[in-house]
Amino acid sequence: MGPATRERFAAAIRAIDAANADDPHSLEFEGRRHRKEQLHAELMTAWVQRLDPEASEAQLLAARAHHLRRWTLPREEYPEGRVGYRRWRAELRRRHAVEVARILRAQGYEDDVVDEVGRIVRKDGLGTDPAVQVHEDALCLVFLQTQLGEVAARLGSDKAVAVLRKTLPKMSEAGRDAALGLRLSDDERRLLEAATAPA
């Protein structure tokens, strides 16, 4: 990136972070409390850079904005069950893409970059597009880092293992290798090992 491009990118990141700054939810990570979506945005950015050192500007912007103001559309607004959950997730992805497009256009980004960021945020092309796969890997890794323990406490070990058995196949081999290298608690490590063991 040239100096002007770097400044525009930095301004976009600041605007995305500002949009997430009033998140009412927090979580503890590595001994400190963080605003949930801000922490997730920072971890996503770091994982995309680690998994793909040549990640494009659009990939990094999509990582930062992947859950932009997520709390404004609560899960409770949709019916219980799998169908309601999928409708909620689809609307979240659509809304995140719309909101980050507004931010990026305000910073002077061209339509091709805005469209690419939106496509990655919506996960269009998952399974065929390497950039979207890196995004999915990073999402799964952030989940494992920050939410696995809470999911196990809420659902119990057996259901947490079932969740992991649905999560891990979404990941690439590189993503699964990174998951196995995560610094997890002993209980979380046991869950991950149970999920990866042959049936």
Side-chain angles (χ1 to χ4, degrees):
M1 293 186 197
T5 303
R6 282 197 300 271
E7 178 50 39
R8 183 175 66 172
F9 176 77
I13 295 295
R14 289 193 297 270
I16 293 166
D17 290 349
N20 274 333
D22 56 348
D23 186 355
H25 304 114
S26 66
L27 52 77
E28 186 167 323
F29 181 70
E30 296 186 342
R32 291 178 51 217
R33 290 211 71 80
H34 304 260
R35 292 191 186 276
K36 182 180 176 183
E37 298 309 342
Q38 184 59 38
L39 174 64
H40 283 185
E42 292 170 0
L43 292 173
M44 272 289 293
T45 305
W47 274 117
V48 167
Q49 289 175 312
R50 178 173 168 181
L51 293 166
D52 183 1
E54 302 300 319
S56 69
E57 190 173 358
Q59 284 179 268
L60 297 175
L61 291 165
R64 201 67 169 206
H66 76 289
H67 280 176
L68 188 61
R69 297 184 58 76
R70 183 184 177 94
W71 67 91
T72 62
L73 186 65
R75 170 69 179 91
E76 295 75 21
E77 291 189 8
Y78 286 78
E80 293 184 10
R82 191 74 183 158
V83 173
Y85 177 76
R86 286 183 172 180
R87 282 178 52 203
W88 173 64
R89 291 293 297 273
E91 176 58 19
L92 277 173
R93 288 195 294 269
R94 186 200 69 79
R95 186 178 293 195
H96 297 329
V98 168
E99 291 185 355
V100 71
R102 190 177 300 120
I103 288 173
L104 297 181
R105 288 195 172 100
Q107 298 299 329
Y109 275 92
E110 298 80 7
D111 286 346
D112 60 337
V113 177
V114 174
D115 292 346
E116 177 69 0
V117 171
R119 191 181 66 78
I120 296 170
V121 167
R122 291 190 306 271
K123 298 198 284 189
D124 296 346
L126 182 60
T128 59
D129 186 296
V132 180
Q133 185 60 60
V134 167
H135 190 83
E136 179 69 13
D137 286 349
L139 277 168
C140 294
L141 288 162
V142 172
F143 164 74
L144 294 173
Q145 279 184 297
T146 65
Q147 294 176 275
L148 179 55
E150 182 271 328
V151 167
R154 178 164 47 88
L155 299 181
S157 295
D158 289 346
K159 287 187 177 179
V161 169
V163 168
L164 287 172
R165 285 181 174 153
K166 292 177 181 177
T167 300
L168 293 170
K170 299 177 185 177
M171 304 176 76
S172 68
E173 183 176 352
R176 288 191 293 273
D177 287 345
L180 293 172
L182 288 173
R183 186 170 59 189
L184 301 172
S185 70
D186 290 343
D187 287 343
E188 291 168 338
R189 175 69 54 193
R190 280 191 286 271
L191 292 171
L192 188 58
E193 289 172 352
T196 55

